[in-house]
Each structure stands twice: as structure tokens, then as C-alpha cells.
Amino acid sequence: MKSPHKAWAVAVALGVLAASGATIAAATPSPKPTPKHTSEEDQLQKLYKEAVAEDGRLVVYAGGDKPGQADYLKDAFVKKFPKMKVDIVVDFSKNHDARVDNQIAEHHVVADVVHLQTVDDFPRWKKEGVLQKYKPVGWDKVFDQIKDKDGYYTGLFFFAFSNVTATKLGGDAPVEAKDFLKPEFKNKLVFTYPNDDDAVLYYFKQLTDKYGFDYLKKLLAQNPKFVRGTQDSADLVGSDNYVASFGTTGGTPGVAETTLPKKSPWVAWPQTGAILKNAPHKAAAKLYMSWLLSKEAQQNSIGTWSARTDVAAPAGRRGIFDYENMNPLGLGEFMNNRTALDRYKARINLYVGDVKGVNPSDPQGVLGLYPVNQDGTQG
């Protein structure tokens, strides 16, 4: 695959009464001081000092399907906080959550922060007591629907999968799901294996729910190519005679473009994050979570729909909860019923066949159990 808040009040210390004024103070109570509020920037700078004092190190596990896919976050973070040494390790969320479970079981946690597509993991981890309770800077501005009321995890931004089509198609590009069945697109479609990525699986699930399995049979009659990883499927659009995909995002600028269906379903979800309770670098983890949810970062660094209620949708897009054909909480609901999910995945597997190819986020197979960087250095 292709990962909102109020300023915190600061307590104001009361001055000690002078002995000569004690009786006056007793007779005439002093008015309550007006609470002072620090800006988000002030709070971030305080957290920065604490993170540097801790040792300035941070390891993040990010869901994705290509090395370097989250470097845009790393680069923006380090640009703002240059004394920090940061590694964001990208792998399929389904691999990272197993990796985290193993690290916890082995009492050998090397990751500080996780932000993953597997949104169903976070309530489980909260129940198991393995997450650090922490409400980042601007917590009150996060959509209530995507954060844990007790502060153990929160959506950090919204990812979306829809259509990626070759720009050379112009007005002939497919938009709705049934457009992909047109004869002119035979042998020219590319998709991510839905049985390899739960968000893509949910995309297909919505289509077969709405149009039946006959739709899937007709789509497969188009002889599409299936690949591992949503970035690879998007990157192929506009090259090697492939002109369209859905269930992905991005594509090569100038060669491919992303569009949203107007009627057929598509997928968006809150990429959800948390600090692990036994994180080696908790101060750095708090700084990263707070920076990522700060209004500045949400406006300038994430490049997608914000987790904050006070940040506008991307240009040309509606609010994330304002689409009739997309429910941003739907993926989480789908993933919460693992039995039904696995049953549907097994059925899909009969149609598209077993997943083939190396893990595109770890093509050399080096990440292992305790990676602290993308090269597979073990913590």
C-alpha cells in the first residue's frame, strides 16, 4: 500500500500574600487570575527541548507499501526540529501490527510510534494495556469520530483510494466502476491484489455488495494485471499500455491523475496512530504526535484530508464526511469483523488467484523482527 485541536491551558501560580496584607486578603478574596494559554508552537518547542534532552531519537512504524513512502513526513519533521534523528520504517500495516505484537510479547519494543491502516488494532491494543495515554497538542480539534475518548490513539490524517487514470485519456477516462468494463479498456487495467491489502479488499467488497459478483466476473474478463502494493499499481498507469486503476491513489504527475467516483463507492479512512507504552523514546514520540496533529503540519505537510475540524479539505474536495458514496468509518467497521473479512478474502482469492511477488515495501526481506530503520538494522 499506499498514513485538530485546542491549546492547552497552563496553570498560573498565585503569588504569596505579604504578611501585612493577609487580613485584607481574608476579608476581600482576590479575583481568580485569567488562565494563560500557550500557542501550539510554544507547546511544540517545549516538547522539542524534552525530546532533545532524552537523546533526540525517534523510530516510527508507518503503514505503506514502498520504502521511503513516508519520507515526506520525516523530512518536514526534521526540517522543523533539526536536532532530531528520525527513522520512519514503512511496511504493510498487517506486517507492522504483527511485528508490534511480537515486540510486546518479547519485551523488546523498539518502535516509539505506530500509524497504520489496521484501525481495528488500536482498540485491541488499548484493551491489552500496551498503549501510552497521551492527548497531543490540539487534541480537542480532532474529529470525535476518529479518536479514542480516553486519549490512547487517534486518527492522524485521512488516506483515500479512488481512481487513477492516464491523463492522455482526457474526457474518456473511466470514472464510475462500470466505466472500467468498457471494451476499450480490455488488457489495459492494473489493480492491487485485493487479497493482499484490506483497504483494497474493502473497495472490492463495496463494489460486489452494490453490483454483485457478476461485476467482478466482468472486470476479470477485461484481463487486468494484478500487482502487490497500491503505489506500484498507480505508478503503472500511463506506462506499458496500462491506462486505469481503482483502489489506489497518486500516480506519476503529468502522466496519471486521481479522480473520485460520483456514484460508485470508494474508500477513505483515518490513518490511526499511537505511542507504545514501552516506547524507548517517549518524549520524542509525544513531540512527533503533537507536531503531526498541529494545525501547521495538518495544513502544510500531510497532503490529504486533515484529522482536524478546523483545517479545510484539499482544494476541490468536499469535507471528508460529506460524500454520499463514501463512509470514512466504513473500513474500520469492515476490519473489526475479522471472521467476515477473512471469509470474503478467501472468496476473492478464488477469483484473482494467490498473491504473487515480493513484498514491495521490503523487497530484500531485511526488516525482520526489530527494525529501527528501512535498511533492517535491528534494535
Side-chain angles (χ1 to χ4, degrees), residues 27-49:
T28 308
S30 299
K32 292 183 179 180
T34 302
K36 293 180 181 178
H37 295 269
T38 55
S39 68
E40 289 190 351
E41 182 62 23
D42 290 339
Q43 296 173 68
L44 291 176
Q45 291 303 320
K46 180 177 183 295
L47 290 168
Y48 181 29
K49 290 179 182 178

Side-chain angles (χ1 to χ4, degrees), residues 1 61-65 90-102 115-121 124-125 192-199 201 228-229 271 335 338 341-342 345 349 355-361:
M1 249 200 356
Y61 284 179
D65 51 34
V90 173
D91 198 359
F92 284 114
S93 292
K94 65 181 181 181
N95 294 339
H96 269 328
D97 64 0
R99 190 170 279 125
V100 168
D101 284 338
N102 183 70
H115 45 76
L116 306 174
Q117 172 186 291
T118 48
V119 294
D120 56 313
D121 281 319
R124 171 176 67 85
W125 281 332
T192 303
Y193 280 107
N195 42 339
D196 196 34
D197 184 306
D198 285 346
L201 185 70
R228 296 197 71 185
Q271 194 81 342
M335 297 182 75
R338 298 303 305 186
L341 186 155
D342 288 340
K345 182 186 292 186
N349 199 79
V355 175
K356 296 180 177 65
V358 300
N359 176 357
S361 58

Side-chain angles (χ1 to χ4, degrees), residues 11-240:
V12 180
L14 296 176
V16 178
L17 291 175
S20 60
T23 54
I24 298 175
T28 308
S30 299
K32 292 183 179 180
T34 302
K36 293 180 181 178
H37 295 269
T38 55
S39 68
E40 289 190 351
E41 182 62 23
D42 290 339
Q43 296 173 68
L44 291 176
Q45 291 303 320
K46 180 177 183 295
L47 290 168
Y48 181 29
K49 290 179 182 178
E50 293 170 355
V52 171
E54 179 184 60
D55 78 356
R57 186 76 175 95
L58 175 68
V59 176
V60 178
Y61 284 179
D65 51 34
K66 207 72 168 177
Q69 208 169 45
D71 280 358
Y72 69 102
L73 295 175
K74 171 184 173 179
D75 293 345
F77 180 77
V78 173
K79 182 177 181 180
K80 185 170 181 66
F81 306 110
K83 294 181 181 179
M84 299 297 298
K85 184 181 186 304
V86 181
D87 280 290
I88 301 185
V89 183
V90 173
D91 198 359
F92 284 114
S93 292
K94 65 181 181 181
N95 294 339
H96 269 328
D97 64 0
R99 190 170 279 125
V100 168
D101 284 338
N102 183 70
Q103 291 183 13
I104 292 167
E106 295 293 317
H107 306 288
H108 187 177
V109 174
V110 302
D112 300 306
V113 173
V114 291
H115 45 76
L116 306 174
Q117 172 186 291
T118 48
V119 294
D120 56 313
D121 281 319
F122 293 88
R124 171 176 67 85
W125 281 332
K126 175 189 175 183
K127 186 176 181 180
E128 292 171 357
V130 299
L131 300 181
Q132 177 68 43
K133 183 176 182 178
Y134 178 64
K135 294 182 178 180
V137 167
W139 173 263
D140 67 313
K141 297 297 184 183
V142 177
F143 286 102
D144 289 338
Q145 303 96 311
I146 66 171
K147 66 183 178 183
D148 173 50
K149 62 182 179 61
D150 297 318
Y152 285 94
Y153 57 87
T154 179
L156 298 173
F157 42 79
F158 288 89
F159 276 149
F161 288 165
S162 54
N163 303 324
V164 174
T165 56
T167 53
K168 65 183 180 182
L169 293 178
D172 295 326
V175 176
E176 304 302 332
K178 292 184 178 181
D179 295 338
F180 287 78
L181 305 181
K182 292 179 178 180
E184 58 264 35
F185 298 130
K186 188 166 186 176
N187 301 315
K188 297 181 179 181
L189 303 177
V190 57
F191 300 111
T192 303
Y193 280 107
N195 42 339
D196 196 34
D197 184 306
D198 285 346
V200 181
L201 185 70
Y202 178 56
Y203 203 111
F204 275 73
K205 177 68 163 59
Q206 292 184 102
L207 295 180
T208 56
D209 283 351
K210 187 176 181 67
Y211 304 117
F213 264 78
D214 280 347
Y215 174 81
L216 179 59
K217 294 173 184 176
K218 292 175 181 177
L219 187 69
L220 295 178
Q222 295 284 69
N223 194 32
K225 179 181 179 66
F226 283 94
V227 298
R228 296 197 71 185
T230 56
Q231 183 168 327
D232 279 356
S233 61
D235 288 348
L236 280 172
V237 173
S239 66
D240 296 333

